[in-house]
Amino acid sequence: MTQAATSPTPPPSTPASATTPLASGRVFNFSAGPSALPEEVLRQIQQDVWNINATGMGILEHSHRGSLIDAVFAQAEADVRAAGSIPATHRILFMTGGASAANYLLPMNFMTPGATADYIVTGHWANQTWLQAQKLAGKPGFGSAHLAADTAATAHSTIPAAAELRFSSSPAYVHYCSNNTLEGTQWHRIPETPPGVPLCVDVCSDIFSRPTDFSRLALAYAGAQKNLGAAGTTIVIIRDDFAQRGNRDIADLLQFRTYIPDLSRPNTPPVFAIYVVGLMARWILRHGGVAAMERHNAAKAKLVYDVLDRSTFYKAHARPADRSLMNITFRLPTEALTDRFVEQAAAEGLANLRGHRNVGGIRASLYNAMPIEGATALAQFMREFERRHG
Ligand code: PMP
């Protein structure tokens, strides 16, 4: 394991060994997740899979109850806490089932009889969350669900203004999705909610991409496979008193509180994925923390949005004020040109640019680990493609 360095180095750029994406044998990977990992982290993993901390065993082989994993998990939790400035009031849990499982665990735990849970739908994933709540709403043992806002009328190209949020009279909680991975929109503020109402957020595709005031959130959750590493664990940041309020009548493994003692180990956890979250949190700390990530992400996104803004060929999906710094979505004039764009980009080492199957077009995901050179190469490719085909 690498220890967090004391002085941060500048935000990451292309590794010295790579002069062009293809020369290193690796490409710029614009996948929405699982997605690119930093070379430093991959090299560390290579080493630790073989023999971690001179134990004579790799990370995949250690018992989840052994002292090595005790240390790995404690360090991962400490580094996630430091990287996210998570307050002492909140617990950090490593769960399974991805962000999708958290979508239904939320109403299962907190949409109690007599209570109403409010949902803000701003895209595909926020809608999935809403659908999961509706499955339970009105059933014995559960309360009801209320739609506080829905941006379907703009094809989810927008984020609602405060005046568009219509909450129920006394919500048990409000749920929103901070970054809409398919559509490429992002909340640039925490939504205005009635005072004292627990706010729950799906941060799957922008966790630790910028500073977040977690003290204002009762629960935040993310699959690790975008900004925090490998698929297999869900990072849950939950206010302790909120966790304790949850439903006790459901299976223990479906209750958030079950994961609080013993470093998220009520059963065999996804050890490898949690270990990688630790490496990613340390990598963020080494490179200046989430504030540096935000500057780095804004600079990368600007390179691509500038091309879109100067073009009549490409059509950006998101309203400019609501654009995501993580997932940039746009269309070309025809499907044939879209196919050609994706193919030619891949041939030049710019991989995974096809939009989600539900949305179409192009999507470029520029998570923390994408170096600025990747965004520069994409912007250049886009300009050149427009010159040839526009
Ligand atoms: N929410 C958001 C915002 C997502 O981007 C995703 C995955 N792309 C999910 C939820 C579902 O995550 P998982 O696959 O970890 O269940």
Side-chain angles (χ1 to χ4, degrees):
M1 290 185 294
T2 23
Q3 298 303 314
T6 42
S7 57
T9 55
S13 68
T14 301
S17 60
T19 47
T20 70
L22 295 172
S24 69
R26 289 176 53 80
V27 295
F28 289 126
N29 177 7
F30 295 92
S31 167
S35 40
L37 287 169
E39 178 163 328
E40 284 165 67
V41 168
L42 289 171
R43 297 277 180 220
Q44 184 70 49
I45 293 170
Q46 277 186 318
Q47 192 178 312
D48 292 345
V49 163
W50 183 246
N51 185 352
I52 185 166
N53 282 12
T55 55
M57 272 184 260
I59 180 69
L60 294 167
E61 302 164 289
H62 274 272
S63 161
H64 65 292
R65 305 257 174 232
S67 58
L68 185 278
I69 299 300
D70 288 346
V72 166
F73 278 29
Q75 189 70 50
E77 194 196 293
D79 290 331
V80 166
R81 188 173 291 284
S85 301
I86 312 293
T89 42
H90 288 58
R91 305 291 191 153
I92 296 158
L93 313 179
F94 299 112
M95 296 175 64
T96 54
S100 303
N103 286 350
Y104 67 74
L105 294 182
L106 184 62
M108 214 174 251
N109 277 269
F110 301 110
M111 199 173 73
T112 45
T116 301
D118 284 15
Y119 284 79
I120 304 173
V121 171
T122 48
H124 169 84
W125 290 111
N127 193 49
Q128 290 301 311
T129 319
W130 163 240
L131 295 177
Q132 292 297 325
Q134 280 178 292
K135 273 179 188 261
L136 297 175
K139 302 271 163 55
F142 296 100
S144 54
H146 166 82
L147 188 60
D150 187 350
T151 54
T154 70
H156 300 309
S157 63
T158 56
I159 294 294
E164 293 171 296
L165 304 174
R166 304 198 190 287
F167 298 109
S168 63
S169 58
S170 175
Y173 62 84
V174 171
H175 180 275
Y176 77 108
C177 177
S178 59
N179 184 72
N180 298 287
T181 323
L182 271 63
E183 296 82 4
T185 60
Q186 188 174 24
W187 288 82
H188 296 296
R189 65 184 204 278
I190 290 183
E192 306 71 11
T193 45
V197 172
L199 187 53
C200 302
V201 51
D202 174 348
V203 285
C204 195
S205 51
D206 67 354
I207 188 169
F208 290 7
S209 67
R210 57 181 175 178
T212 299
D213 183 358
F214 283 96
S215 72
R216 293 180 59 193
L217 304 173
L219 188 156
Y221 61 92
Q225 64 271 14
K226 302 175 197 295
N227 272 329
L228 282 180
T233 190
T234 320
I235 297 116
V236 174
I237 297 163
I238 189 166
R239 218 176 56 219
D240 196 40
D241 68 296
F242 188 59
Q244 301 307 340
R245 238 188 269 171
N247 189 349
R248 290 179 186 271
D249 295 334
I250 52 178
D252 290 346
L253 279 184
L254 303 183
Q255 299 179 32
F256 291 101
R257 70 166 69 72
T258 304
Y259 295 79
I260 293 175
D262 195 26
L263 294 163
S264 302
R265 290 177 294 186
N267 65 338
T268 313
V271 170
F272 178 75
I274 297 170
Y275 147 83
V276 180
V277 171
L279 292 185
M280 283 304 297
R282 235 158 298 151
W283 176 83
I284 291 170
L285 288 167
R286 267 203 309 280
H287 291 287
V290 289
M293 293 296 134
E294 183 179 43
R295 289 192 295 275
H296 173 59
N297 291 328
K300 288 182 295 182
K302 183 174 186 311
L303 289 169
V304 181
Y305 282 126
D306 279 353
V307 176
L308 295 179
D309 287 342
R310 289 181 192 138
S311 170
T312 49
F313 178 70
Y314 301 112
K315 292 268 172 298
H317 179 68
R319 175 167 70 184
D322 302 323
R323 284 169 166 173
S324 168
L325 299 187
M326 299 278 93
N327 313 98
I328 300 181
T329 51
F330 58 93
R331 290 188 172 281
L332 281 82
T334 65
E335 286 304 311
L337 280 170
T338 307
D339 291 346
R340 203 185 271 187
F341 181 98
V342 172
E343 281 156 27
Q344 289 186 4
E348 295 190 21
L350 309 174
N352 290 322
L353 282 164
R354 195 177 288 284
H356 188 276
R357 60 189 181 279
N358 290 4
V359 171
I362 301 292
R363 171 174 56 176
S365 297
L366 304 171
Y367 298 122
N368 287 348
M370 173 60 67
I372 190 104
E373 289 84 348
T376 304
L378 175 61
Q380 266 164 11
F381 174 82
M382 288 169 66
R383 277 191 295 267
E384 181 56 22
F385 193 88
E386 179 171 0
R387 199 185 59 71
R388 276 188 276 128
H389 301 283

